């Protein structure tokens, strides 16, 4: 027997060893449960703290990243708006320039129209005056016709053609220094490809770039020629010469089909049969060069302006492509950040799951301890000595001793 003092009432009482062991066991079980509960509470608090810290850290990182990207996007948007404004200003300036040129051209056309009317009036007056002496004019024409017929009878077909060539060359050389200072107009003497035209005209700009090139063929025939040629008979060969000598245009200067109303009407465009080909009478030799040359000059100017505008548009396109690349990069980074955030959340969930499993294991351990305690409480001398005569005798001897 042992004497125990109650901590509350301070009274002493005696218990045997079995009672003392039972009291000691109860105290230990109570302390063990308190320690387990304290550890579980601590683990729960640590888990909650870890989750809150992880969420706060991820949230702050994402917030900083988004703030930075929003600033960059705002800067790019500002630059884009500035570039768009500059583009609009450039386009407005270009439009003003074109409108100014248009107005100047319109005024020039009005001036030319006025000059044309004055010239027409002058020509009408002159014509009316000439009509008064029409008999004299008819006589002069008859004499000129007779003279030309006489000249044709004296010249061979080849000489007639050469005379037309010489006429065109002389007409060009009269104006070369004034109207065509950067032009080349010479006979085509290159027959390596098997054929050649009569003359080649080429002109370059100040930078040496070719502005225009024309292959000329001059055709005439005498009245005594048995087989009369047509202008169309020479189109195919002229187009071939133009292609082989790398000329842009082809022009047939002809006196063939003298009675044709079509060819006598002025400059005839036969591009429907052969590309960039024209047929003219000798009096339109210089005008056809001037018309094609002026058109080429204007075309080069338009091409230069178009190239400039195309380059400006390319710059804008490149800027827009950079914006799109940034957007794609930002979206990619945002997607990666989202995946990392999701991964962090999953890891937190795994941690929570792990802690939950630890908690369940601890609770299971407590349950097993409780079962073990129940089994220990249920354990008696009688159960231990059942079926063991020797141990029964020993315990009987102990119980009989005073």
């Amino acid at each position: 027997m042992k004497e125990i003092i109650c901590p509350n009432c301070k009274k002493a009482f005696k218990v045997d060893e079995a009672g003392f062991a039972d009291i000691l066991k109860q105290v230990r079980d109570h302390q063990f449960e308190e320690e387990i509960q304290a550890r579980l509470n601590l683990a729960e608090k640590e888990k909650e703290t870890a989750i809150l810290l992880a969420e706060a850290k991820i949230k702050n990182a994402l917030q900083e990243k988004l703030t930075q990207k929003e600033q960059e996007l705002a800067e790019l948007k500002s630059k884009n708006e500035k570039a768009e404004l500059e583009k609009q200003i450039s386009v407005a300036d270009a439009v003003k320039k074109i409108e100014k040129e248009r107005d100047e051209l319109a005024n020039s056309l009005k001036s030319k129209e006025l000059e044309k009317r004055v010239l027409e009036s002058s020509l009408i007056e002159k014509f009316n005056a000439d009509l008064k002496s029409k008999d004299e004019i008819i006589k002069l024409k008859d004499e000129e016709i007779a003279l030309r017929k006489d000249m044709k009878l004296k010249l061979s077909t080849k000489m007639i053609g050469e005379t037309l060539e010489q006429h065109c060359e002389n007409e060009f050389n009269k104006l070369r220094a004034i109207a065509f200072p950067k032009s080349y107009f010479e006979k085509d003497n290159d027959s390596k490809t098997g054929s050649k035209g009569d003359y080649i005209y080429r002109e370059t700009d100040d930078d040496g770039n070719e502005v225009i090139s024309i292959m000329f063929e001059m055709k005439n025939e005498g009245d005594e020629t048995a087989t009369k040629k047509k202008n169309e008979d020479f189109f195919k060969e002229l187009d071939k010469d133009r292609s082989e000598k790398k000329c842009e245009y082809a022009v047939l200067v002809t006196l063939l089909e003298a009675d044709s109303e079509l060819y006598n009407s002025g400059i005839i465009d036969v591009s429907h049969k052969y590309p960039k080909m024209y047929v003219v009478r000798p009096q339109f030799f210089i005008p056809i060069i001037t018309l094609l040359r002026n058109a080429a000059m204007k075309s080069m100017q338009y091409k230069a302006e178009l190239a400039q505008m195309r380059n400006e548009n390319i710059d804008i396109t490149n800027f827009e492509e950079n914006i799109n690349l940034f957007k794609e990069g930002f979206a990619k980074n945002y997607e990666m950040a989202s995946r990392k955030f999701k991964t962090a959340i999953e890891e937190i969930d795994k941690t929570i799951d792990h802690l939950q499993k630890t908690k369940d294991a601890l609770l299971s351990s407590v349950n097993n301890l409780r079962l073990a305690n129940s089994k220990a409480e249920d354990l008696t001398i009688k159960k231990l000595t059942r079926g063991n005569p020797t141990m029964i005798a020993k315990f009987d001897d102990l119980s009989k001793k005073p």
Side-chain angles (χ1 to χ4, degrees):
M1 299 297 287
K2 291 185 180 181
E3 187 177 278
I4 296 175
I5 298 173
C6 178
N8 293 325
C9 63
K10 305 300 181 181
K11 290 181 180 182
F13 60 93
K14 292 182 179 182
V15 293
D16 58 11
E17 290 183 0
F20 180 78
D22 183 55
I23 292 171
L24 182 62
K25 180 178 71 63
Q26 292 180 15
V27 171
R28 287 178 178 174
D29 289 345
H30 180 70
Q31 289 178 345
F32 183 70
E33 288 180 358
E34 287 181 348
E35 288 178 2
I36 289 175
Q37 187 61 43
R39 290 185 181 182
L40 287 175
N41 292 337
L42 180 60
E44 186 69 24
K45 289 181 179 180
E46 289 178 352
K47 179 192 74 172
E48 293 176 355
T49 303
I51 292 172
L52 291 174
L53 288 174
E55 289 179 347
K57 186 176 180 180
I58 294 171
K59 184 177 180 181
N60 290 336
L62 285 176
Q63 186 64 36
E64 291 176 0
K65 193 70 175 179
L66 288 173
T67 301
Q68 181 182 355
K69 293 301 181 182
E70 287 176 355
Q71 290 176 351
E72 293 176 0
L73 187 60
E75 291 176 0
L76 286 175
K77 184 177 180 182
S78 177
K79 291 180 180 178
N80 189 19
E81 291 175 352
K82 182 179 179 182
E84 183 65 24
L85 180 60
E86 291 176 353
K87 176 184 175 183
Q88 292 176 358
I89 293 173
S90 299
V91 171
D93 292 341
V95 170
K96 288 180 181 178
K97 182 179 178 182
I98 293 172
E99 289 177 346
K100 182 180 178 182
E101 293 179 356
R102 179 200 63 193
D103 295 339
E104 290 176 353
L105 181 60
N107 293 333
S108 176
L109 288 174
K110 289 180 181 179
S111 177
K112 294 295 183 183
E113 184 67 24
L114 181 59
E115 292 178 3
K116 177 184 175 183
R117 291 177 182 176
V118 172
L119 180 60
E120 286 178 349
S121 178
S122 175
L123 289 175
I124 291 172
E125 291 178 1
K126 186 175 181 299
F127 180 73
N128 291 332
D130 290 342
L131 283 177
K132 295 179 181 178
S133 55
K134 65 178 182 177
D135 293 338
E136 183 178 353
I137 294 172
I138 292 173
K139 181 180 178 182
L140 290 174
K141 289 292 182 181
D142 290 341
E143 291 176 356
E144 182 181 355
I145 292 171
L147 181 63
R148 287 180 61 83
K149 286 183 177 181
D150 183 63
M151 180 183 70
K152 288 181 180 181
L153 290 173
K154 293 177 181 180
L155 296 175
S156 65
T157 302
K158 183 175 183 300
M159 285 300 295
I160 291 173
E162 290 178 349
T163 301
L164 179 57
E165 292 176 7
Q166 191 64 46
H167 165 76
C168 292
E169 186 172 351
N170 290 338
E171 290 297 312
F172 183 84
N173 288 332
K174 288 178 185 179
L175 300 172
R176 183 193 291 268
I178 300 174
F180 311 106
K182 294 185 178 65
S183 301
Y184 165 93
F185 182 73
E186 301 291 342
K187 285 187 68 67
D188 179 18
N189 295 317
D190 182 7
S191 58
K192 286 186 285 188
T193 58
S195 65
K196 61 185 182 68
D198 285 334
Y199 282 84
I200 294 177
Y201 172 90
R202 296 186 189 276
E203 184 171 353
T204 58
D205 59 13
D206 294 334
D207 297 324
N209 301 314
E210 184 175 286
V211 177
I212 187 174
S213 57
I214 307 173
M215 170 64 70
F216 280 100
E217 184 76 15
M218 286 73 170
K219 288 298 174 184
N220 194 1
E221 62 184 0
D223 292 338
E224 75 283 2
T225 304
T227 304
K228 298 293 184 181
K229 294 282 188 178
K230 292 185 177 181
N231 292 315
E232 193 169 348
D233 297 337
F234 300 96
F235 290 172
K236 184 177 180 180
E237 189 69 18
L238 177 56
D239 182 67
K240 178 184 175 185
D241 293 337
R242 178 188 69 83
S243 299
E244 291 177 350
K245 302 304 168 59
K246 298 185 180 348
C247 292
E248 184 178 2
Y249 294 95
V251 175
L252 176 64
V253 184
T254 176
L255 285 172
L256 303 181
E257 300 183 65
D259 298 330
S260 171
E261 293 184 3
L262 172 64
Y263 295 116
N264 290 337
S265 61
I267 297 173
I268 307 303
D269 183 356
V270 292
S271 298
H272 59 286
K273 293 185 177 180
Y274 295 93
K276 296 188 175 183
M277 182 179 291
Y278 298 89
V279 180
V280 299
R281 294 303 188 192
Q283 60 267 33
F284 293 104
F285 168 67
I286 295 298
I288 188 64
I289 295 177
T290 303
L291 288 172
L292 295 178
R293 174 177 176 268
N294 291 343
M297 290 286 192
K298 201 66 177 176
S299 177
M300 289 191 70
Q301 179 183 348
Y302 288 147
K303 287 178 181 178
E305 293 177 356
L306 182 61
Q308 181 180 357
M309 295 185 69
R310 187 180 291 113
N311 291 334
E312 293 175 355
N313 289 332
I314 289 174
D315 291 339
I316 296 300
T317 301
N318 290 336
F319 181 79
E320 292 175 349
E321 289 177 353
N322 291 335
I323 289 291
N324 291 332
L325 288 175
F326 168 77
K327 290 179 178 178
E328 292 173 0
F330 178 81
K332 184 177 180 181
N333 292 336
Y334 181 80
E335 183 181 358
M336 291 177 63
S338 298
R339 287 203 302 267
K340 290 183 179 297
F341 181 82
K342 183 179 179 181
T343 301
I345 294 298
E346 289 174 352
E347 291 297 325
I348 291 172
D349 290 338
K350 289 179 181 178
T351 302
I352 294 172
D353 184 63
H354 178 71
L355 292 172
Q356 184 65 42
K357 289 180 179 178
T358 303
K359 178 181 177 182
D360 293 339
L362 289 172
L363 292 175
S364 177
S365 176
V366 171
N367 186 49
N368 288 328
L369 288 172
R370 183 183 58 77
L371 292 174
N373 182 58
S374 297
K375 290 179 180 179
E377 289 178 350
D378 192 47
L379 185 64
T380 62
I381 298 298
K382 185 177 181 180
K383 287 182 178 180
L384 287 173
T385 58
R386 182 181 298 164
N388 192 334
T390 302
M391 293 302 299
I392 293 173
K394 292 288 184 182
F395 279 102
D396 287 341
D397 289 340
L398 290 172
S399 63
K400 291 176 181 179
K401 289 181 178 181

